[in-house]
Amino acid sequence: MKISEKQLELVNDRIAALIKADNFYGKKLKEAGVTTLQSAEDFEKLPFSEKKDLRDAYPLGLMTVPEEQIVRIHSSSGTTGTPVIIPYTQKDVDDWAIQFKRCYELAGITNKDRIQVTPGYGLWTAGIGFQNGAERLGGMVIPMGPGNTDKQLQMMMDLKTTVLCSTSSYSLLLAEEIEKRGIKDKIHLKKGVIGSERWSDKMRESISKGLGIELYDIYGLTEIYGPGIGISCKENKGMHYWDDYIYIEIIDPVTGENLPDGQLGEIVITTLVKEGAPLIRYRTHDLSMIVPGECACGCKFPRIGTIMGRTDDMIKIKGVNVFPSQIEEILGTFPEISSEYQIRISHLDGKDTMRIYVETNGSVDFNELAGRIKDKVKSKIGFTPIVKVVEIGLLPRSEKKTVRVIDERYD
Ligand code: ZN
């Protein structure tokens, strides 16, 4: 999806602000010789920004307005080195709340709902993002934060909570506790707004059944406001995002080229109106695609697909970028095979090849099944793998996380 004239105008405004601020990123743009953009093609030539740049700007090098206008900072986790600090103006905080309010509205949540917020509060953007959006909506917020399951369930029953905001793993834990304690008839939950970790359909079903709720996936990252820049709708075919606040492009993570709608690649985000720390072409390393066409739900905002993993997982076979999650998804459409599989990538006779091992029981014609899997990978991803079908139980299993992708090319 090309950048629109209106969006381009907003980007020009942000570029001017960055250059004027002469901060870390403003200097980079100046060095790259960036001035006013005339066209979508100009935009696609802009340099990317990376998490590393944001770390280099630590602590306040991203600040793009005078300090008097900064009302808050957030920080992304610093478990792997220097953290990233994002300054927010009052308008940024308000804009974020407006976007989050839209998320709730798209999920059919109203000011009559009672919204229990279980993600954490503090430096990161989770809990407070859910809260500000819910207050903007006029809902009744129950700001629990994480953990303390006894109290969590007590409040849920006494206050008749109707909406649960949570990670997928914590909502699964709550579902199991409710089942264990036999209190399902005292729970009034209707909907769950779940943070965007990658989760399987199976897990989704367990949560939805266990809590008796509809689930909505929320997307966001600290560098770009936080959660609430996009959400899935009742059609559950991708997440709508607010293209008056952000511009999303999908790029080939190796070449940096823009990919057409419908193709899987890396999500790159440009903030259109952010004041405290605008970001231009920020590489998220999240994998998804622009979902082509309009959504049956009637919402006109564009969509990205479910997050399929991280770019670091990518493998290149015969010039085609492949992600293990894509293969996994295809294998999931064959009910006759078990959930165990193995992918081996090797370099033979000057060519990269992929072998996929799957398991089935003896009632299936192995060759015929292998052929069907091959054809499906070819039609969906664009290359032909070697598929080997074996008896159930033959693939290695482990107590710990089973290694399913083995790259033998560099041994
Ligand atoms: Zn929709």
Side-chain angles (χ1 to χ4, degrees):
M1 193 173 297
K2 290 269 181 214
I3 192 161
S4 71
E5 296 245 331
K6 172 84 190 131
Q7 288 170 323
L8 202 59
E9 221 171 90
L10 293 168
V11 173
N12 275 328
D13 194 52
R14 291 302 83 207
I15 288 174
L18 283 160
I19 290 176
K20 179 168 170 257
D22 199 33
N23 62 357
F24 177 85
Y25 200 42
K27 283 195 177 88
K28 272 193 88 161
L29 288 173
K30 223 191 277 176
E31 272 164 32
V34 175
T35 51
T36 308
L37 309 174
Q38 306 295 341
S39 63
E41 288 68 40
D42 283 357
F43 178 83
E44 285 172 19
K45 283 183 206 132
L46 285 176
F48 294 112
S49 46
E50 286 271 6
K51 189 135 189 175
K52 186 191 167 300
D53 302 327
L54 273 49
R55 288 206 173 99
D56 291 346
Y58 183 85
L60 285 170
L62 296 174
M63 196 159 67
T64 309
V65 293
E67 190 178 331
E68 308 87 271
Q69 293 176 39
I70 300 297
V71 298
R72 191 201 285 173
I73 62 110
H74 280 292
S75 172
S76 70
S77 60
T79 43
T80 53
T82 315
V84 166
I85 290 190
I86 307 289
Y88 293 65
T89 65
Q90 187 58 53
K91 182 177 184 292
D92 294 336
V93 169
D94 292 344
D95 284 350
W96 182 18
I98 292 167
Q99 293 175 73
F100 216 129
K101 175 177 178 254
R102 282 189 195 165
C103 290
Y104 286 126
E105 285 169 342
L106 197 63
I109 296 164
T110 71
N111 59 6
K112 294 219 178 76
D113 277 296
R114 299 179 178 183
I115 303 171
Q116 191 156 334
V117 177
T118 73
Y121 285 80
L123 272 178
W124 54 359
T125 48
I128 200 163
F130 282 92
Q131 167 144 0
N132 284 351
E135 287 180 355
R136 180 65 63 139
L137 179 75
M140 186 198 289
V141 177
I142 308 159
M144 295 299 294
N148 202 347
T149 301
D150 284 341
K151 185 137 195 197
Q152 205 80 251
L153 292 172
Q154 195 62 51
M155 289 296 230
M156 202 175 274
M157 291 188 286
D158 296 347
L159 284 166
K160 300 190 169 60
T161 303
T162 56
V163 176
L164 173 69
C165 300
S166 169
T167 59
S168 53
S169 40
Y170 194 58
S171 50
L172 183 63
L173 186 144
L174 286 174
E176 286 164 358
E177 272 308 307
I178 287 165
E179 169 79 35
K180 215 188 285 170
R181 297 176 191 206
I183 52 172
K184 197 164 174 194
D185 58 330
K186 298 196 179 84
I187 299 294
H188 296 81
L189 288 176
K190 290 196 195 90
K191 285 168 185 181
V193 179
I194 309 295
S196 63
E197 306 162 289
R198 212 178 144 238
W199 45 329
S200 65
D201 287 344
K202 214 170 172 182
M203 185 165 175
R204 198 184 180 89
E205 204 174 301
S206 311
I207 298 167
S208 171
K209 266 207 190 124
L211 295 173
I213 56 176
E214 283 169 20
L215 296 173
Y216 296 88
D217 293 13
I218 201 136
Y219 182 60
L221 52 162
T222 300
E223 297 91 320
I224 316 282
Y225 296 105
I229 60 175
I231 190 168
S232 63
C233 61
K234 59 180 187 309
E235 297 293 323
N236 198 24
K237 292 200 178 90
M239 298 181 280
H240 291 275
Y241 62 91
W242 318 123
D243 66 349
D244 45 350
Y245 287 93
I246 55 169
Y247 173 64
I248 289 188
E249 28 180 355
I250 302 291
I251 62 159
D252 181 312
V254 176
T255 65
E257 298 281 316
N258 281 71
L259 293 174
D261 293 356
Q263 270 194 39
L264 189 64
E266 179 177 349
I267 300 177
V268 172
I269 305 180
T270 298
T271 64
L272 297 174
V273 291
K274 216 155 177 265
E275 296 177 336
L279 286 178
I280 310 281
R281 303 195 88 197
Y282 181 67
R283 295 186 64 158
T284 65
H285 292 280
D286 283 335
L287 290 174
S288 188
M289 64 177 79
I290 301 281
V291 179
E294 275 188 17
C295 185
C297 81
C299 173
K300 300 290 181 212
F301 282 99
R303 285 171 295 163
I304 49 170
T306 312
I307 306 300
M308 299 291 285
R310 303 278 299 163
T311 51
D312 321 323
D313 305 333
M314 192 180 77
I315 317 156
K316 203 169 182 116
I317 302 284
K318 300 177 187 172
V320 181
N321 295 336
V322 191
F323 302 94
S325 51
Q326 287 177 289
I327 303 286
E328 199 179 316
E329 201 177 67
I330 290 170
L331 296 180
T333 63
F334 290 87
E336 54 274 66
I337 62 180
S338 80
S339 59
E340 290 297 327
Y341 64 88
Q342 200 177 79
I343 298 170
R344 284 179 177 270
I345 303 126
S346 40
H347 193 77
L348 291 171
D349 308 323
K351 280 190 300 190
D352 287 337
T353 48
M354 178 185 282
R355 281 169 293 155
I356 304 172
Y357 294 86
V358 297
E359 293 181 336
T360 188
N361 61 38
S363 70
V364 179
D365 180 335
F366 284 14
N367 279 332
E368 190 267 343
L369 175 61
R372 278 190 291 133
I373 296 174
K374 246 188 247 179
D375 290 347
K376 195 142 186 188
V377 172
K378 171 75 183 158
S379 76
K380 290 264 175 187
I381 309 181
F383 75 98
T384 307
I386 299 162
V387 179
K388 304 255 188 220
V389 181
V390 299
E391 285 283 346
I392 280 184
L394 282 182
L395 290 178
R397 283 154 170 79
S398 117
E399 292 271 310
K400 283 181 267 162
K401 206 168 174 271
T402 311
V403 179
R404 295 208 165 86
V405 183
I406 300 159
D407 194 336
E408 300 169 323
R409 285 174 299 178
Y410 309 107
D411 287 353

